[in-house]
């Protein structure tokens, strides 16, 4: 027989934690919100979303700061301006090698000379050829020369020209804001260099060189973009020419295809 003092008690069915313990959590956001009891927890999903925004999102916003704390992406001209101070004060990890400087100077030369060479080449190729007019948009059904691909190339050319100009205006506006910040940084570093004899002051002249080169490259690339598109033989040539001009204009960016100073420039630190 069974012992008299042993009582069989059925185990309670498993229950979810927020029902069992009376502690509400924001499980649908991928994390829990601690410190909420049954008395203080929001009752519906809308209140929970608002509570999550006020306690988590706003805190992250305050930690990130406002527009004055945005990262400074910079370019090679920003780096060259701060390099004298950065190398002597060890702000940049490791001094700039001659190989690195040679690569940066070649980028500057290519951005100045490259657009001029392209403009000269397209003007020579288009000498005596009328590249404007409605006849450049004509469409002939079944034609290999003036068919669908021809009209599509012209439409694609206009879209790329508009996109290039909009992007150039945006980049110049952003570069203006970042240049102002870097000028203020240069003032701080110059004052620090005056107080420490072993520190070299920044060279702000490179900032103005960068402003000139960026405007110069943008204008000339925009001028030669339409003649290049006129001479294109199809949509593929239009895309390749547009990407080539964008590559030429963005060669000086820190995040560009050339990684000379990727490891030296910390955009969050300078921002």
């Amino acid at each position: 027989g069974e012992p008299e003092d042993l009582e069989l008690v059925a185990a309670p069915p498993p229950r979810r934690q927020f029902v069992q313990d009376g502690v509400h959590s924001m499980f649908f956001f991928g994390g829990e919100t601690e410190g909420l009891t049954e008395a203080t927890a929001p009752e519906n999903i809308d209140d929970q979303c608002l509570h999550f925004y006020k306690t988590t999102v706003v805190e992250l916003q305050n930690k990130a700061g406002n527009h004055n704390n945005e990262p400074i992406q910079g370019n090679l001209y920003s780096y060259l301006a701060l390099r004298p101070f950065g190398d002597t004060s060890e702000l940049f990890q490791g001094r700039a090698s001659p190989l690195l400087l040679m690569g940066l100077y070649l980028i500057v030369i290519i951005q100045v000379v490259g657009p001029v060479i392209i403009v000269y080449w397209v003007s020579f190729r288009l000498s005596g050829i009328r590249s404007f007019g409605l006849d450049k948009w004509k469409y002939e059904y079944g034609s290999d020369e003036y068919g669908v691909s021809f009209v599509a190339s012209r439409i694609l050319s206009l879209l790329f020209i508009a996109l290039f100009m909009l992007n150039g205006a945006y980049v110049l506006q952003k570069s203006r804001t970042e240049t102002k910040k870097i000028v203020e940084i240069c003032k701080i570093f110059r004052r620090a260099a005056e107080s420490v004899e072993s520190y070299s002051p920044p060279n702000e002249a490179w900032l103005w060189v960068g402003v000139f080169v960026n405007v110069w490259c943008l204008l000339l690339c925009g001028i030669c973009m339409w003649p290049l598109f006129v001479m294109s033989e199809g949509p593929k040539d239009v895309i390749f020419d547009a990407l080539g001009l964008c590559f030429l204009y963005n060669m000086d960016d820190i995040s560009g295809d050339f990684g000379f100073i990727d490891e030296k420039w910390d955009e969050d630190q300078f921002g």
Side-chain angles (χ1 to χ4, degrees):
E2 298 179 355
E4 297 180 357
D5 57 345
L6 178 62
E7 295 182 359
L8 298 178
V9 180
R15 292 179 296 174
R16 300 185 68 174
Q17 182 179 359
F18 66 91
V19 176
Q20 179 181 356
D21 300 335
V23 178
H24 292 256
S25 61
M26 308 298 289
F27 58 92
F28 48 85
F29 286 109
E32 296 185 355
T33 303
E34 300 179 355
L36 291 180
T37 61
E38 290 183 347
T40 60
E43 296 180 355
N44 53 49
I45 187 67
D46 293 335
D47 293 339
Q48 289 178 353
C49 292
L50 182 60
H51 179 81
F52 179 81
Y53 172 77
K54 290 182 178 180
T55 57
T56 305
V57 178
V58 174
E59 180 181 356
L60 293 176
Q61 289 178 338
N62 295 333
K63 185 182 298 184
N66 55 17
H67 65 279
N68 292 322
N69 304 105
E70 291 180 353
I72 300 178
Q73 295 182 354
N75 50 36
L76 69 87
Y77 305 102
S78 305
Y79 171 76
L80 291 175
L82 300 177
R83 185 185 67 85
F85 180 84
D87 286 350
T88 55
S89 65
E90 297 183 354
L91 178 66
F92 299 138
Q93 295 181 353
R95 290 177 174 266
S97 64
L99 186 63
L100 184 146
L101 294 177
M102 184 180 299
L104 298 183
Y105 296 151
L106 283 179
I107 292 177
V108 176
I109 295 174
I110 292 174
Q111 282 198 309
V112 173
V113 179
V116 178
I117 296 176
I118 296 177
V119 170
Y120 175 79
W121 180 77
V122 296
S123 62
F124 176 77
R125 290 289 301 272
L126 291 178
S127 59
I129 301 177
R130 189 167 63 89
S131 58
F132 299 94
L134 295 178
D135 59 324
K136 298 300 178 182
W137 289 81
K138 65 180 179 180
Y139 167 74
E140 296 180 3
Y141 178 78
S143 173
D144 294 336
E145 184 177 359
Y146 299 104
V148 176
S149 298
F150 177 79
V151 178
S153 299
R154 295 297 184 261
I155 297 175
L156 194 60
S157 301
L158 287 179
L159 294 177
F160 267 115
I161 290 175
L163 180 62
F164 184 82
M165 292 304 175
L166 289 175
N167 178 73
Y170 170 78
V171 171
L172 289 179
Q173 182 180 6
K174 186 176 182 180
S175 178
R176 178 184 178 184
T177 303
E178 291 187 351
T179 301
K180 290 182 179 179
K181 293 182 179 181
I182 297 177
V183 168
E184 298 298 327
I185 294 176
C186 287
K187 292 180 180 179
I188 298 174
F189 290 167
R190 181 172 294 276
R191 181 67 184 88
E194 292 175 355
S195 60
V196 180
E197 185 178 357
S198 60
Y199 291 175
S200 299
N203 187 3
E204 294 94 329
W206 278 110
L207 297 177
W208 311 120
V209 173
V211 172
F212 168 78
V213 173
N214 284 331
V215 175
W216 169 268
C217 194
L218 175 64
L219 291 179
L220 291 185
C221 287
I223 291 173
C224 65
M225 182 170 281
W226 176 253
L228 285 176
F229 291 161
V230 170
M231 294 186 298
S232 64
E233 298 180 357
K236 181 187 69 174
D237 293 339
V238 172
I239 294 177
F240 284 171
D241 290 339
L243 293 179
L245 292 175
C246 291
F247 170 77
L248 179 62
Y249 176 69
N250 294 319
M251 285 179 65
D252 62 325
D253 290 346
I254 300 291
S255 58
D257 294 330
F258 294 100
F260 286 108
I261 48 180
D262 284 344
E263 299 179 355
K264 291 183 175 295
W265 187 270
D266 190 341
E267 59 182 21
D268 294 323
Q269 178 183 9
F270 289 105

